[in-house]
Amino acid sequence: MGAAVDIKLKIKRKDSSDSPFYWEEFNIPFRKNMNVISALMEIQKNPVNAKGEKVRSVAWDYNCLEEVCGACSMRINGKVRQACSTLVDRLEQPIYLEAMETFPVEKDLVVNRDRMFSALKKIKGWIPIDGTYALGAGPLISSDLQQEAYKYSTCMTCGCCLDACPNVNSGSPFIGPQALGQTKYFNMHPTGAQQKNDRLSVMIGEEGLANCGNSQNCVQVCPKEIPLTTAIAELNKDANRFALWSWLKR
């Protein structure tokens, strides 16, 4: 951006979940090393649009401000990413901000991500233990397995992979790449593997792997670089074995 004085933001807004979208432009002072969240905070301090009109402050989600919580996912110049780690001086102007389209938009840049948490319930995305008494040391896990599992544990439930996936939409029951990655993660754990078949049942069902078109968009946009396509390929093998075993058991 060089010596630019102002940042031009064009924000796709929505006053409520059932109101129409509209675009609004803002000019805010530029500061070195400013990220998109900082730009939105400037609007929050002084919500005046480019026409000089006093308007409602822009609504968006954020929390950690260090790419850990995943709350600030949005489309920035057409690409879904984290607003906290996106520097404005690396973006073309005007900067276009939009809510993720895969999820219901509640207000401005705020979306409802319930479908992601519902997906975690469906795949039993947890390690069940009996906490009523001391269980002692857990099962040993090799360092190699720990390193592999760690990649999947960094998932922030940010929604970027679902927003980029062409197969996640209102016309498809597909559970989405986030749930597939977490299925792989929990099935790797020695205790979590006790529910492996329950998770694989979801994978071979109508919401599962058959709906994945292998576009690989999920890997390209994941802020944590989680190897989602690797997880999907390995889950395919496990799911096919499980499907055959289930058929032979009948």
Side-chain angles (χ1 to χ4, degrees), residues 197 240-250:
N197 288 349
N240 285 332
R241 292 192 195 100
F242 175 71
L244 179 60
W245 173 78
S246 299
W247 180 78
L248 291 172
K249 197 177 69 167
R250 279 191 277 177

Side-chain angles (χ1 to χ4, degrees), residues 196-206 242 246:
K196 182 175 182 177
N197 288 349
D198 292 337
R199 299 188 186 101
L200 291 177
S201 293
V202 179
M203 294 299 104
I204 64 173
E206 64 173 5
F242 175 71
S246 299

Side-chain angles (χ1 to χ4, degrees), residues 1-221:
M1 281 178 51
V5 176
D6 285 336
I7 301 166
K8 295 185 183 297
L9 293 177
K10 288 190 175 182
I11 302 175
K12 190 175 184 181
R13 308 197 64 181
K14 189 179 178 74
D15 294 327
S16 64
S17 59
D18 55 357
S19 63
F21 288 102
Y22 63 95
W23 286 92
E24 192 155 48
E25 186 171 341
F26 297 87
N27 295 328
I28 61 171
F30 170 73
R31 295 195 315 271
K32 190 177 180 181
N33 297 325
M34 195 178 209
N35 60 16
V36 170
I37 292 292
S38 301
L40 288 168
M41 286 178 170
E42 288 296 320
I43 297 174
Q44 192 175 52
K45 288 192 294 186
N46 184 30
V48 175
N49 65 20
K51 297 178 182 178
E53 301 166 335
K54 188 80 173 177
V55 296
R56 174 178 59 77
S57 182
V58 178
W60 80 97
D61 279 331
Y62 71 104
N63 190 13
C64 71
L65 301 180
E66 53 185 2
E67 204 177 78
V68 173
C69 72
C72 65
S73 303
M74 61 183 71
R75 290 189 176 187
I76 302 172
N77 285 355
K79 180 182 178 181
V80 63
R81 61 181 83 181
Q82 302 296 289
C84 64
S85 56
T86 303
L87 299 179
V88 299
D89 58 1
R90 298 182 184 178
L91 299 170
E92 291 185 8
Q93 286 204 58
I95 300 170
Y96 290 86
L97 303 182
E98 305 170 69
M100 293 187 290
E101 292 184 357
T102 294
F103 305 92
V105 180
E106 296 187 340
K107 192 173 186 179
D108 294 340
L109 305 173
V110 178
V111 298
N112 184 329
R113 280 180 277 193
D114 280 353
R115 67 177 297 161
M116 298 189 75
F117 301 105
S118 295
L120 289 175
K121 292 178 183 177
K122 290 173 183 175
I123 66 158
K124 298 188 176 180
W126 56 81
I127 304 296
I129 58 173
D130 185 348
T132 57
Y133 61 96
L135 298 175
L140 293 176
I141 306 176
S142 70
S143 59
D144 288 343
L145 186 60
Q146 285 179 334
Q147 289 298 316
E148 184 182 359
Y150 177 75
K151 302 172 188 174
Y152 297 99
S153 73
T154 61
C155 176
M156 305 182 292
T157 319
C158 67
C160 288
C161 60
L162 272 75
D163 195 60
C165 178
N167 300 97
V168 177
N169 54 66
S170 58
S172 168
F174 185 36
I175 201 169
Q178 167 248 3
L180 302 188
Q182 292 304 289
T183 296
K184 161 71 175 171
Y185 173 52
F186 286 104
N187 281 357
M188 292 170 67
H189 193 281
T191 306
Q194 294 178 19
Q195 277 68 44
K196 182 175 182 177
N197 288 349
D198 292 337
R199 299 188 186 101
L200 291 177
S201 293
V202 179
M203 294 299 104
I204 64 173
E206 64 173 5
E207 298 175 291
L209 289 158
N211 290 289
C212 175
N214 197 33
S215 68
Q216 303 190 27
N217 290 6
C218 53
V219 168
Q220 295 175 28
V221 301

